[in-house]
Amino acid sequence: MIEENKEIITTNLNMSSSYEMVFDKNTINHLGIQLYSSFPPILAELLSNSYDAEAKELIINIFNSEKKIEVIDNGHGMTHDELNKEYLVIGRNRRKEDESGGWSKNKKRKVTGKKGLGKLAVFGVANKIEIISIHEGFKNGFIMNYNDLLAIEGNESYKPTPLFINEPTNESNGTRITINQIKENKLINFEKIIFELSKRFNFYDDTFKVSLYNKDISNEPVNINKEIYYNSLNIQFEWKFPEHFAEEIKENIPLSILNKQKIKGVVYTNKTPLKTSNQGFNIYVRGKFASGNVTFNDRANDRFNYYVFGYFDIDCIDDDNEKDYIATARQSILWDANDTLISIKENLNKLINKISNEWRRKRNDIKIQEVDDEIENKIPNLYDDLDQKDKDSLIKIKTALIKNIENEDIDSILEILKIVKSQFQFDTFKKFVANLNDNEITLENMTKIANDWEYIEAKELAKVAVGRIEAIKKFEKFVKNEASETKVIQPFLETFPWLLDPRITSFQREVRFSTILKQKFPDENLDEPNRRIDFLCNSIDKTLMIIELKRPNIKITRKELDQVIDYVTFVLEKYPNKYEKVEAFLVTNNVKMDRKEQYVYDSLKKDGKLVIKTYDEMIQQVYEYHKKFIDTYDRLEEAKKIKTKKR
């Protein structure tokens, strides 16, 4: 039977013993030279054809010294008629015209080719192509020359140079394509070809093996697989879809839709930021690269996008055998072309956002543990001598620094933590850093704050001081106008307690004796006159301050003196040993007293039991206290300007 077929084919070929390609010259330019300008995508097109021909093995031989590449497969090959009516037809939609539709000849594979344009891409890097194909005992082949193609005039067809026309052979089925006369400026980078071919397909397995030979160096092959590309990066975390999302798919509608569409993929994150060329996702359609560096996370500037890469198999993009949603050069997908593609992209965006949040948690947990381990090894006493509030503040800074760093610079974090701890001796510094939000706590910012704290502290205190001086001026008017101590002065001082004394850290206004007694003796019935103290204050040096205010010009009598002493005696009795010191102040602007009252006051003052302060003295004291912060800031600001000018 085979011999009879050979006779029939030989007879037919005597009637039509040539090859012919009809084309527009512009097609060669647009879909040849301008389609691809490097070897990886061109070899990928040839590899794709071999896969569609149901080849089980493909060999690529590179001869740099001869400026030649051979691509050899063991697919089913092509007859003379198939070469003429299929291979040499430009822009033929094989899926639409073939009976097999979107499947290979024997229905073993979904074909990856569609447009019939990739064969011309070779002319972007070489001038001569030799095609030899063997099918069922017959060899056919021809040579195509780029310069001859361009020399065709008018509507003439191009006739490739025949090599074999239905020549009987015992060779096995398959196709050999030889790329000759590679252009001088198109170097063949062997390593890049390995890397790119690994990236461009994901159907490498035992049913389709690809071997690459650098014939100028050795006869040892490099076996291509997709792991070459993905393993070349420094993978930290991995998520497989749908495997790792089995539970979420049950409840999450977008993920459920992706699963029903049979979309599969793997999301990786790198330990360090990726090169731009490796960021984002590769999209494979029918196992072939369709688009790269796709970012589904809609937060385009998100730091996650610098670390994430991977791939998705989305065959449904190419289910339509007529419409095409993949750009000719396999560089992009027309995501807005229909509702299905829009939905796929939106749902993948939601999947990636979910992974992004989990990545942050996992990465943060690891970095926290790494930093804690380094603290334990290098500065084990970091949290020593800190109260719980300061420890929590330092931990907050550590956590924010870990969150904000772009790299693994743990030593810099440890150094900042040590510097910050050393500055905790200043209350103003602690308050300042406590008010920083997480985004402000970066290595650069914290280093600057720690190094420039004198200036920053002065600036912060100066801002406070400017506001407080305005309050002092207002208080001066109250005193000058003899304002009521209960209706005006006391409420104002309740709002601005630092006017009483800059040392005050907390105070209580109009504290009744009964309240103090209930705090001290909650379970006892106590009989005590319900008198009240104007202000009961705590200061930074653990001194209890009793302050009694009088109308500015009231004259001090024995009654006022005894009243304050009663308050002191009462507090000392009810709070024995609680305070290191108790101070009493009587505030008025009229310090003139009768001789007896003056004698009593002098004795009390000498014993440290009572001090009479004038409102004027109090105002001057607090004014000077705050003005020095403004003066310090002005001095540092002037020094900073001088330093800037010198630069």
Side-chain angles (χ1 to χ4, degrees), residues 541-555:
D541 57 358
K542 296 184 180 180
T543 296
L544 182 67
M545 302 168 70
I546 296 171
I547 301 175
E548 185 68 16
L549 303 178
K550 298 299 176 185
R551 191 180 290 270
N553 283 330
I554 191 173
K555 185 178 180 180

Side-chain angles (χ1 to χ4, degrees), residues 23-41:
F23 68 98
D24 182 328
K25 255 198 254 190
N26 289 327
T27 303
I28 303 299
N29 283 325
H30 292 305
L31 301 177
I33 291 177
Q34 295 179 20
L35 185 61
Y36 299 127
S37 59
S38 63
F39 278 102

Side-chain angles (χ1 to χ4, degrees), residues 624-636:
E624 289 177 356
Y625 178 82
H626 288 90
K627 188 176 182 302
K628 71 179 182 181
F629 297 129
I630 298 175
D631 292 341
T632 301
Y633 173 66
D634 289 341
R635 176 176 55 78
L636 289 169

